[in-house]
Amino acid sequence: MPTILAIESSCDETAVAIGDSSGRLLANQISTQIELHQPFGGVVPELASRNHLTTLRPLILAALEESGLTLSQLDAFAATAGPGLASSLLMGNTAAKALALANRKPFIAVNHMEGHLLSPFLGRPGGILPSVALIVSGGHTMLVHLRGFGDYRLLGRTRDDAAGEAFDKVAKMLGLPYPGGPNVEKMAEGGDPAAYAFPRSMLNSGDLAFSFSGLKTAVLYTLQKIPDHQREAELPNLCASFQQAAVEVLVKKTVRAARQADERLVTMSGGVSCNQCLRSTMATACERAGLQLLVAEGQHCTDNAAMIAQVALEKLARNQTDPLSADVDPNLRLAE
Ligand code: KG4
Ligand code: ZN
């Protein structure tokens, strides 16, 4: 049974997974750099790539140990080729290519967004099914019509900030620590989601595009009007109202996309899909609309290598391997 080792290093997580073509995950190692970047309030590309370099070797060894396999038992080596930070992508790519070369096995380049797109199907029986997917991560927010493996149609994307980026920027302006998304969610827990009427940008734009930069600016203007001594007490209300506005647009447009594409299955993936408010609001809306919802498992929402291994195994089954000369592409697209 074909078995693959896959590396993910597109941003600030170093991850190595080993999977086989039956869908079994034999190893899933991840090393996060959150603490490294926290003092800077965001990812510093040079620090990220240097850390990938030192982390990759021990992580590959840990993945081999977890799987009980040796390098010679693997059938291919894969890595994320984009989108992401060029210097970070190069680390994982070079490692996977070196392993492929030394072991005389094929190399497979994987699109990070295709990893997120297919992650809701990871480890589930039935394989990849026609569906409408909402991908909400730190760098991207898009709706995709998935008609089969490799057959993707972009239905809509953000015109400015990604949803995760908006969470991160709002967190920064409110003085919450990096990474912003989970901290905004935590702060929102005690807040009133109706305290501030923030804009539902592009909700009625007539298409499936998103915009989150106006929402972020609205939070900033509201914050500036709150006297300094009241700001801390208002943080839960600001976070809850911001989260509510972002979630409402994401959910309503996803349901509309499913109707337009005439699909009954909706999937959701990417870091922001960890958000419980988004998960529960999406679940209620899908149920009301008679749609089935499949959300990526918690550990597969944020960046991981299991999703890269899954795509690589699908590509290997179709003999879609890549030359060792293949370059990384920080702006790699999923679908037009
Ligand atoms: O998919 P991901 O790990 O990396 C990218 O490919 O971008 O997504 C990271 C993003 C960050 O913007 C982070 O703040 C956001 O996902 N995120 C969340 C939550 N957990 C992570 N946003 C809102 N609520 C969360 N619980
Ligand atoms: Zn990602």
Side-chain angles (χ1 to χ4, degrees):
M1 186 176 299
T3 306
I4 271 186
L5 182 146
I7 301 175
E8 156 62 34
S9 70
S10 65
C11 190
D12 60 340
E13 317 276 4
T14 322
V16 179
I18 298 175
D20 71 22
S21 54
S22 75
R24 254 186 335 143
L25 198 54
L26 305 170
N28 193 18
Q29 296 284 330
I30 185 151
S31 166
T32 176
Q33 302 183 1
I34 285 179
E35 276 177 24
L36 186 69
H37 301 284
Q38 212 151 32
F40 305 96
V43 178
V44 182
E46 193 193 324
L47 281 182
S49 62
R50 292 168 86 146
N51 196 261
H52 286 308
L53 181 64
T54 52
T55 309
L56 269 166
R57 189 174 173 274
L59 217 57
I60 291 166
L61 293 175
L64 288 169
E65 194 178 326
E66 187 187 346
S67 69
L69 297 172
T70 60
L71 282 174
S72 61
Q73 289 173 292
L74 297 168
D75 298 288
F77 295 89
T80 304
L85 300 168
S87 52
S88 285
L89 290 164
L90 279 167
M91 291 299 162
N93 253 255
T94 308
K97 284 173 183 169
L99 287 168
L101 183 65
N103 293 283
R104 297 170 197 269
K105 296 285 167 57
F107 166 72
I108 299 172
V110 174
N111 183 320
H112 181 82
M113 299 316 294
E114 192 172 12
H116 278 305
L117 175 71
L118 303 184
S119 63
F121 299 102
L122 254 170
R124 304 204 204 236
I128 294 154
L129 300 169
S131 45
V132 160
L134 173 68
I135 313 177
V136 266
S137 71
H140 299 83
T141 296
M142 55 173 95
L143 281 162
V144 178
H145 189 184
L146 190 172
R147 292 176 288 200
F149 179 77
D151 186 0
Y152 316 128
R153 189 165 64 94
L154 182 69
L155 301 173
R157 68 162 64 159
T158 180
R159 299 226 168 125
D160 39 58
D161 292 348
E165 193 178 352
F167 270 88
D168 294 338
K169 286 179 176 170
V170 164
K172 209 168 185 176
M173 87 182 59
L174 298 180
L176 301 176
Y178 166 88
N183 286 304
V184 168
E185 177 173 22
K186 217 180 284 164
M187 186 57 79
E189 272 167 24
D192 174 7
Y196 297 99
F198 290 134
R200 272 60 172 162
S201 305
M202 301 193 66
L203 186 58
N204 298 309
S205 57
D207 57 17
L208 295 168
F210 297 99
S211 163
F212 292 102
S213 102
L215 170 59
K216 171 197 68 190
T217 310
V219 177
L220 178 65
Y221 288 163
T222 304
L223 180 70
Q224 286 170 345
K225 284 187 207 139
I226 301 173
D228 280 355
H229 67 280
Q230 283 176 10
R231 283 191 183 177
E232 205 173 321
E234 275 309 301
L235 286 183
N237 285 340
L238 285 165
C239 287
S241 301
F242 158 76
Q243 181 173 264
Q244 184 70 19
V247 163
E248 192 179 316
V249 182
L250 289 168
V251 169
K252 287 192 172 159
K253 289 219 157 176
T254 302
V255 171
R256 262 180 234 164
R259 286 211 188 99
Q260 284 179 25
D262 200 21
E263 291 292 352
R264 307 243 57 81
L265 177 62
V266 167
T267 70
M268 187 163 74
S269 58
V272 184
S273 60
C274 290
N275 186 283
Q276 289 302 326
C277 174
L278 176 59
R279 287 171 97 100
S280 63
T281 311
M282 186 69 87
T284 307
C286 283
E287 202 182 324
R288 265 194 210 135
L291 301 166
Q292 195 196 333
L293 175 65
L294 200 58
V295 186
E297 256 181 57
Q299 58 161 341
H300 299 143
C301 285
T302 46
D303 290 347
N304 64 88
M307 67 183 193
I308 305 303
Q310 183 190 26
V311 175
L313 282 158
E314 295 287 343
K315 290 186 79 173
L316 184 67
R318 292 163 177 81
N319 282 321
Q320 294 172 6
T321 61
D322 295 279
L324 293 181
S325 58
D327 202 358
V328 298
D329 181 356
N331 301 309
L332 191 60
R333 292 286 182 106
L334 177 64
E336 291 309 322

